[in-house]
Amino acid sequence: DVYKRQINGHYIPQCGMAIRGSKRMISLREYFRDLTDLITEVETITKLEEFGELLISARKDGRRLLLFGNGAAASICSHAALDFTKQGGLESLCFHDPALITAFANDFSYEEALVEFLKINRANKDDLVITISSSGNSPNILNALKYCKKMKIKTLSLSGLKKNKSIDNSNYSIYVPMRTYGIVECVH
C-alpha cells in the first residue's frame, strides 16, 4: 500500500487518512472524493439547512445553546460556541474548561458530569443542547441527551461512523455515514 510504510513496527501515514477499525489508509484523493460526495448529497444538504433554520429560530427566540463533546469534538464545540456567540448573536456555553471537567468528573463521575453541568446552568425547555460525538455512543453524551429528553430540552446530535444511540435520543440528528474520523469531524 503506497499510503503507509512501516518504521520500527509502526505504520506511518503517507498522505492519507486511517479508516476506523482498520490499518488501511485511504488516499487524499479518496478522502476528498468521499467528502465531496457526502456534502453534495441532497439529504446532507437538507439536514444542514434544517440545522441552520434551527439556529435562526433559536436566535430569534432568545434561546441559549449548550454544546458538549469529548476530545476533538470538545474543540469543535468550543470553536462553534465562539462563532455562534460572536458572529451569530446566540448565547452559547461549552463545557470544555479542564478544571471544571475534572472537578465534575471527580465529584459526580465522568458519565454524569454533563448532566450536572446542565443542572447547574439551569438548562430548560427554552435552550438547545448540541452534542458532537463521532461514535454517538459516549456514556456522558447519552446521559446528557436522556436528561434533556426527561426535562423536555430540545437536542441536536451530530454523530457518525455507524448508526448509534445519539440518533434515537435526540430531537434532531445529523448523522455522517462515513468510517473516517476526518470526514465525520469535517462535516461537524
Side-chain angles (χ1 to χ4, degrees), residues 25-40:
M25 300 290 290
I26 63 171
S27 69
L28 287 177
R29 184 176 309 282
E30 289 176 284
Y31 176 87
F32 285 115
R33 184 200 62 226
D34 289 350
L35 181 59
T36 301
D37 289 349
L38 178 68
I39 63 174
T40 57

Side-chain angles (χ1 to χ4, degrees), residues 134-148:
S134 292
S135 75
N137 290 318
S138 300
N140 61 338
I141 298 287
L142 292 173
N143 287 341
L145 290 170
K146 289 173 186 173
Y147 174 79
C148 289

Side-chain angles (χ1 to χ4, degrees), residues 51-116:
F51 179 45
E53 292 298 321
L54 190 60
L55 292 173
I56 290 167
S57 174
R59 185 173 81 185
K60 187 172 70 176
D61 296 341
R63 294 175 180 249
R64 289 185 308 168
L65 301 181
L66 294 100
L67 298 98
F68 302 120
N70 295 311
S75 294
I76 295 168
C77 287
S78 178
H79 189 123
L82 165 70
D83 287 346
F84 290 142
T85 299
K86 187 176 174 192
Q87 307 299 328
L90 282 156
E91 182 182 348
S92 304
L93 303 174
C94 179
F95 186 60
H96 69 283
D97 180 87
L100 277 176
I101 292 169
T102 56
F104 277 52
N106 183 62
D107 294 349
F108 306 112
S109 84
Y110 192 75
E111 289 77 13
E112 294 299 321
L114 300 179
V115 171
E116 294 302 321

Side-chain angles (χ1 to χ4, degrees), residues 7-8 28 30 45 47 72 76 81 98 103 108 117-118 123 130 135 141 148 153 161-162 172:
I7 297 177
N8 297 329
L28 287 177
E30 289 176 284
I45 293 168
K47 286 282 191 182
I76 295 168
F108 306 112
F117 183 81
L118 288 165
I130 299 173
S135 75
I141 298 287
C148 289
I153 301 167
L161 302 177
K162 55 187 172 182
Y172 308 95

